[in-house]
Amino acid sequence: MDERMRRPAGAAIGAAYAAQGLGYAAVVTSLPSLKDQVRIDDAAVAVIVLGVSVAAAAGSVLADVIAVRAGSRAALVTGLLLQAAALPLIALLTPLPPFLAAFAVYGLGLGCVDAASAMQGVALQRSRGRPVLGRLFAVYTAAAIVGAVLVAGAAASSASAMPLLVACAVAAGAAVAGTRWFSTERPTAAASGSSRLPRRGIWVFGSVILAAFALDAAVSTWSTVYLADTLTTAAVIAPLGYAAYQGAVLVTRLATDALVTRLGRRALAALSAVVAIVGCVVIAAIPLPAAAVVGFALAGVATGVLVPVAFAAAGDLDPARADEVIARVNLFTYAGAVLGAVGVGLIGDATGVGVAFLLPGLALVTVLVVRRRFASRAR
């Protein structure tokens, strides 16, 4: 890819990350109002969230199939269009069957974009010869914050469907731009002379992704509950734990590319895991609101670093089959999300939610065990 193509390609790929972050945040933060609209209970919402995770895993497989046959550009455009089709149905349809069907389509698109956007990000990084995944994931995080703010603003008016319709428009726009500007590079197995995927490396970096998303799901699902119910903080204070976490994720992702250049992937991954483990211990050991907020902020350092760094390292396992490798590593995202949300909840029932945050902290120990693989392209 020559220099004239790299700049618009980078902007288009960044738009896809923004569409993904904006749409996901708009959907999950709209669930309370959607629940009232469709007249379902909390148990049904939990089933819907689990169903979206299952559909997203299928979407990651779909991205793999499309990328092998037509390239990751086609996979990313497909995922964005699936989301653009589903979001207005989620926003505007109240009958339960089409509502559930729309969530299934959205989940399929979510997983497809998760995998294909990582494929595109790795291809862009390779073409530029320097780290870029950190800033791409920072765009995702910033857009997610915007999505949550849009939903909060819409809740104060009668325009509750507006954030989802905005997310639909952004996804459709990114898809249209992507048909021209997404990377057309297509790694092939023939180029590597290998018929086998680097399975051991997939499991190594998949375990890192699992740990990162277990932490993310745990904080997203339980941080406000912990502050409000266990530590009995005021309603205006309880969301600050999640806000501190997301702020740390954003700042860390903005710094990740420069830190990779300065420290290397291995040292940075290990350092971020240690910081987050300390954060989880602080949450579990010091049942005070200020300590919890600090602990959640420290936890955000790992999510900010590990996701872009692990996908970049996975793409280097076999550059000629990077798309296939990334699609398989991406599957661990959804296992991690279930582990973090469900595992912390189950342990929390027995020990208290604070102590249950040792579970994602324990998962992060995996990063320290496999840290040497971040500096190697061996299989």
Side-chain angles (χ1 to χ4, degrees):
M1 185 184 297
D2 64 39
E3 190 61 39
R4 290 178 300 173
M5 295 290 289
R6 287 174 187 159
R7 190 165 298 173
I13 295 167
Y17 276 80
Q20 182 79 331
L22 178 67
Y24 184 71
V27 168
V28 297
T29 54
S30 293
L31 282 174
S33 64
L34 292 171
K35 182 183 74 170
D36 295 336
Q37 177 185 354
V38 187
R39 298 178 182 177
I40 56 177
D41 58 17
D42 288 342
V45 171
V47 171
I48 288 172
V49 172
L50 179 60
V52 168
S53 295
V54 173
S60 187
V61 175
L62 176 64
D64 185 12
V65 172
I66 295 174
V68 168
R69 288 163 173 73
S72 60
R73 177 170 72 173
L76 186 49
V77 169
T78 298
L80 289 167
L81 291 177
L82 285 171
Q83 292 189 28
L87 286 167
L89 298 179
I90 293 172
L92 302 175
L93 285 181
T94 55
L96 189 57
F99 181 77
L100 296 177
F103 264 101
V105 173
Y106 174 74
L108 194 66
L110 182 75
C112 195
V113 173
D114 271 344
S117 61
M119 296 173 191
Q120 285 279 309
V122 168
L124 180 68
Q125 182 166 282
R126 187 172 294 117
S127 70
R128 290 190 173 181
R130 64 179 186 274
V132 300
L133 278 175
R135 71 196 71 173
L136 288 174
F137 277 100
V139 169
Y140 172 98
T141 304
I145 294 171
V146 171
V149 170
L150 284 176
V151 172
S157 68
S158 59
S160 60
M162 180 269 294
L164 294 171
L165 297 178
V166 170
C168 167
V170 173
V176 170
T179 58
R180 179 170 184 181
W181 296 117
F182 289 159
S183 172
T184 57
E185 293 181 16
R186 294 182 58 184
T188 61
S192 70
S194 172
S195 61
R196 296 181 58 188
L197 286 171
R199 299 184 187 279
R200 183 179 300 175
I202 289 170
W203 278 95
V204 165
F205 294 116
S207 69
V208 174
I209 291 294
L210 186 150
F213 279 95
L215 176 63
D216 184 69
V219 177
S220 300
T221 306
W222 297 106
S223 59
T224 303
V225 173
Y226 174 59
L227 282 161
D229 294 350
T230 303
L231 302 184
T232 63
T233 58
V236 70
I237 301 296
L240 291 182
Y242 185 64
Y245 169 79
Q246 285 291 356
V249 172
L250 178 58
V251 170
T252 305
R253 284 180 171 171
L254 288 170
T256 291
D257 294 334
L259 290 172
V260 167
T261 301
R262 180 180 293 271
L263 301 177
R265 289 195 302 228
R266 178 170 63 184
L268 183 59
L271 178 62
S272 69
V274 169
V275 170
I277 291 168
V278 170
C280 291
V281 172
V282 168
I283 296 165
I286 309 176
L288 296 172
V293 170
V294 170
F296 290 130
L298 294 175
V301 172
T303 307
V305 167
L306 292 177
V307 176
V309 168
F311 275 120
D316 283 346
L317 287 169
D318 186 346
R321 302 188 71 177
D323 289 352
E324 296 168 84
V325 170
I326 288 169
R328 284 159 174 78
V329 168
N330 186 64
L331 288 172
F332 289 82
T333 296
Y334 313 111
V338 172
L339 174 65
V342 177
V344 168
L346 292 175
I347 295 173
D349 283 342
T351 66
V353 173
V355 174
F357 272 95
L358 292 175
L359 175 64
L362 184 62
L364 287 169
V365 173
T366 304
V367 180
L368 304 180
V369 174
V370 303
R371 67 187 185 279
R372 294 184 183 277
R373 296 300 297 268
F374 280 91
S376 172
R377 293 171 64 171
R379 301 176 197 173

